Amino acid sequence: MTANPDEQRLAPERRAVGALGDRIFHGVTAASALLVLALIAGIAVSLVIGAWPALAKFGFGFLTSSQWNPVTDDFGALVAIFGTLVSSALAMAIAVPVSFGIALFVTELSPVWLRRPISTAIELLAAIPSIIYGMWGLFVFAPFLSDNVQPWLNDAFGDLPILGYLFSGPPIGIGVFTAGLVLAIMVIPFITAVMRDTFEVVPPVLKESSYALGATTWEVVRSVILPYTKTGVIGGIMLGLGRALGETMAVTFVIGNAHNIPNGLFYPGNSIAATLANEFTEASGGMYTSALIALGLVLFVITLIVLVLARLLLLQLSNQEGR
């Protein structure tokens, strides 16, 4: 069949337009990717410049000192780092297994009529502003813990070597323990949503084949679903961890904002984000402001280290595939 002469004449023009469009599309996407790198580099440079007076004065001792005295310009980040890491670790220890259980129930075990209400509730929890979590934690959750949970934990674990140290302190409701619980409640919707979406993309034929061979539900989850979705699962966990590390208002309400290393989880403490929220507007003097910016730089570096470790873990898991 002979092609239409008009179509033959227009074909080179269409190819030229398509090639130009591809070049434009490639340039826009490359510019977007480079813009992200430029923004990260700009933030890092700005933080280093702002924190340089404090870093030059205190050096590495800024990370190991627990002093925080604006009057004498003596600053250290150890208390804030400790509170940030401990509260985030406690939050993840609670949130990860709970989120995994919810996501697994919704995708594999839940009746069809119940899946949509649970998914909607998860999305609603993720949409609640952090300050609402903080107010609820201070006025509702902290009194409940003070009256019912913390005294029981003191009595149950107070004589044990390690748990007794962790669950020690005055049952006043606010403290590192409460901050960790509130953070766990906050990050559960994010981790659950990511895990649920990744579990749903597993090809049904893989799961059906395993069930046909006699595998139990847990064996299917362990041998089929988790290996297939490990990247998404770890990504969801890292998303929740990033939210926990950088959370500000909710932690500020319930952690106690005390500049000392807590002797137990029930004692008040502090975090990097809470310190910045409480003191940045009141900072007077170049060194005070520089120390606060240095705290922000430390939080930036901690987040970067977490992301790098997550990437290395994914690479390690990829290298072990097929063994």
Side-chain angles (χ1 to χ4, degrees):
M1 182 176 179
T2 305
N4 191 314
D6 293 335
E7 293 182 357
Q8 290 180 343
R9 184 175 63 254
L10 292 176
E13 297 178 359
R14 290 177 179 174
R15 287 196 294 270
V17 172
L20 178 61
D22 286 343
R23 288 195 296 270
I24 294 175
F25 180 74
H26 180 272
V28 170
T29 54
S32 300
L34 294 176
L35 178 61
V36 174
L37 296 178
L39 288 174
I40 295 176
I43 292 172
V45 171
S46 299
L47 289 174
V48 171
I49 293 174
W52 186 252
L55 297 178
K57 178 179 179 180
F58 303 110
F60 186 77
F62 181 76
L63 300 177
T64 59
S65 173
S66 60
Q67 297 296 319
W68 191 268
N69 192 339
V71 177
T72 61
D73 280 345
D74 189 8
F75 300 103
L78 183 61
V79 173
I81 294 173
F82 181 86
T84 299
L85 296 180
V86 171
S87 60
S88 298
L90 177 60
M92 299 308 294
I94 298 172
V96 171
V98 172
S99 300
F100 177 78
I102 296 174
L104 180 61
F105 178 77
V106 170
T107 56
E108 300 297 325
L109 304 174
S110 172
V112 176
W113 62 269
L114 189 58
R115 293 180 181 179
R116 178 52 56 188
I118 295 178
S119 299
T120 303
I122 293 170
E123 294 165 359
L124 288 175
L125 284 176
I128 297 176
S130 60
I131 193 171
I132 302 301
Y133 280 107
M135 296 174 63
W136 170 78
L138 179 63
F139 296 113
V140 178
F141 197 45
F144 172 78
L145 292 177
S146 176
D147 296 335
N148 301 282
V149 178
Q150 290 181 341
W152 178 81
L153 290 175
N154 272 327
D155 296 336
F157 302 106
D159 296 332
L160 299 179
I162 298 177
L163 294 178
Y165 170 77
L166 293 178
F167 298 111
S168 63
I172 58 177
I174 61 173
V176 178
F177 180 75
T178 306
L181 292 180
V182 172
L183 283 175
I185 297 172
M186 291 183 65
V187 302
I188 281 175
F190 296 93
I191 302 176
T192 301
V194 175
M195 287 187 177
R196 179 200 62 196
D197 293 341
T198 55
F199 289 169
E200 288 178 346
V201 302
V202 178
V205 65
L206 297 180
K207 296 183 289 186
E208 293 169 358
S209 300
S210 299
Y211 285 125
L213 293 174
T216 63
T217 302
W218 169 243
E219 289 173 339
V220 171
V221 172
R222 183 186 61 188
S223 303
V224 177
I225 296 178
L226 284 180
Y228 192 89
T229 61
K230 60 180 180 297
T231 301
V233 169
I234 295 177
I237 294 174
M238 291 303 106
L239 175 64
L241 180 56
R243 176 73 188 272
L245 289 171
E247 178 53 42
T248 304
M249 295 310 301
V251 175
T252 303
F253 272 90
V254 298
I255 199 171
N257 304 305
H259 280 297
N260 50 62
I261 300 292
N263 295 322
L265 294 179
F266 294 165
Y267 284 93
N270 216 333
S271 71
I272 296 176
T275 302
L276 295 175
N278 282 322
E279 302 187 24
F280 205 90
T281 57
E282 303 176 359
S284 59
M287 188 57 62
Y288 194 2
T289 303
S290 179
L292 291 173
I293 297 176
L295 280 181
L297 178 61
V298 171
L299 182 59
F300 181 86
V301 173
I302 291 175
T303 306
L304 180 62
I305 292 174
V306 169
L307 293 177
V308 170
L309 292 178
R311 179 58 58 183
L312 292 176
L313 177 60
L314 289 175
L315 291 176
Q316 182 67 22
L317 291 175
S318 298
N319 293 332
Q320 293 179 353
E321 289 182 352
R323 295 183 180 178

